[in-house]
Amino acid sequence: MQVHTVGEGTPEVAVVGAVHGDEPCGARAIERFLATDPEVDRPAKLIVANERALERGVRYVETDLNRALPGDPESDLYEERLAHDLMTEVEGCVSLGIHSTVSYGDAFANVAYPNERKRDIVAHLPVAGVVDFTVVADGRSVELPGFVDVEAGYQGSEGAVDNASDCLRAFLRTTGVLPGDPPAPDPGFYEVTEPIYKDPSRTYRVHAENFERVDAGATYATADGDPLVADDPFWPVLMSAEGHDALLGYRSTYRGPLSTLPELDGEVTDAADHADGDDPVAEDATND
């Protein structure tokens, strides 16, 4: 694990890249940022987490680092020991994790158990949307009170590096590390309701677009040519035929622009029904 510190004093802000070794955009964004020899107003840590997996170009070496938290310093598994070291490094820090995906080209933010601290962070990230993964968080870093993630774009792409760099700088402006005003895009907020599983023995094709509404009765995917039809309206998140052996993606509910939500205190309460209104992320995806 590489830990770079900019500024003087004890950092209370951290950026974490390469939690998964096959998602190099965070590590590259950190390298790009450090190469500018930035002048900062307060200290921050920039962490390249899973160096071994990054060097090999694999998601993990022995077990998924983002499922191994809080880790175990005595474990026989490399990532479980690394998870403990990573949690030690980010303790007391407001933190941004940088990831990438095979399902969507624009950046979007991930949270779990959202609170006002997380809301203030994601409100100033240049992202197309914010997704609440509380119902399926499963021990990931986004469960921590001061931790949010971004999915920066397509895995291995230059676009993901550019998006990751933009998010990194916006985050450091929001937390007072860098001077200047952060962006204020007012992204849409999506609440994941359940996973969509698939049968690994079947061949899938996805017809829906991530963050675009799927109406009740619409075919959102096929399995060996058989239609998968929505019983109720939903907005797909991380939906891809190739992303996971047993998971096709997630169903979510669109709650409206982030600015329209009530105060967040560990969970999202229902906002006004925006299901039939304009969907800014859907518009962005359509225009790609």
Side-chain angles (χ1 to χ4, degrees):
M1 181 169 61
Q2 298 177 23
V3 181
H4 306 274
T5 300
V6 294
E8 301 294 330
T10 301
E12 296 179 341
V13 176
V15 176
V16 182
V19 167
H20 298 130
D22 59 353
E23 300 173 8
C25 60
R28 291 188 57 194
I30 288 171
E31 292 169 0
R32 183 183 291 184
F33 176 73
L34 292 173
T36 67
D37 193 21
E39 294 186 8
V40 298
D41 292 338
R42 61 182 298 207
K45 291 181 180 181
L46 297 107
I47 301 170
V48 178
N50 200 337
E51 288 186 275
R52 291 187 192 176
L54 183 63
E55 290 170 357
R56 301 178 192 183
V58 296
R59 184 174 177 86
Y60 54 82
V61 176
E62 294 180 313
T63 191
D64 192 325
L65 176 58
N66 209 26
R67 304 296 191 276
L69 304 175
D72 178 359
E74 305 300 325
S75 175
D76 292 333
L77 299 179
Y78 159 67
E79 272 92 359
E80 289 189 351
R81 299 192 303 274
L82 180 61
H84 173 267
D85 294 342
L86 177 60
M87 288 298 95
T88 300
E89 290 293 341
V90 302
E91 185 177 0
C93 291
V94 176
S95 301
L96 175 73
I98 301 176
H99 295 262
S100 55
T101 175
V102 299
S103 64
Y104 194 63
D106 293 333
F108 64 93
N110 296 338
V111 297
Y113 302 102
N115 54 35
E116 287 302 310
R117 191 183 201 186
K118 295 184 181 185
R119 178 178 183 155
D120 186 57
I121 294 170
V122 297
H124 295 292
L125 295 178
V127 294
V130 178
V131 182
D132 177 12
F133 278 94
T134 299
V135 299
V136 292
D138 192 26
R140 287 178 280 184
S141 56
V142 290
E143 290 190 30
L144 300 174
F147 210 112
V148 303
D149 281 345
V150 292
E151 298 283 353
Y154 287 121
Q155 191 172 312
S157 70
E158 287 300 316
V161 180
D162 292 340
N163 292 340
S165 296
D166 290 343
C167 287
L168 183 155
R169 286 186 170 274
F171 171 71
L172 294 182
R173 289 191 181 98
T174 301
T175 52
V177 175
L178 288 178
D181 295 327
D186 199 18
F189 194 95
Y190 299 78
E191 185 177 6
V192 167
T193 56
E194 62 180 345
I196 304 172
Y197 295 107
K198 65 179 185 179
D199 181 346
S201 68
R202 305 185 74 184
T203 300
Y204 288 77
R205 182 180 176 187
V206 172
H207 299 277
E209 297 289 341
N210 283 294
F211 297 108
E212 289 192 21
R213 176 179 168 131
V214 174
D215 291 323
T219 297
Y220 61 88
T222 56
D224 293 336
D226 298 329
L228 303 181
V229 178
D231 294 329
D232 299 297
F234 74 96
W235 283 258
V237 173
L238 288 175
M239 185 173 286
S240 169
E242 296 83 26
H244 194 283
D245 288 342
L247 187 67
L248 191 63
Y250 299 93
R251 290 183 177 88
S252 79
T253 298
Y254 178 56
R255 296 300 191 191
L258 185 64
S259 63
T260 67
L261 298 185
E263 289 188 4
L264 304 179
D265 185 20
E267 63 181 4
V268 177
T269 56
D270 287 348
D273 184 8
H274 297 274
D276 296 320
D278 291 338
D279 183 350
V281 174
E283 292 173 5
D284 288 346
T286 302
N287 292 333
D288 282 348

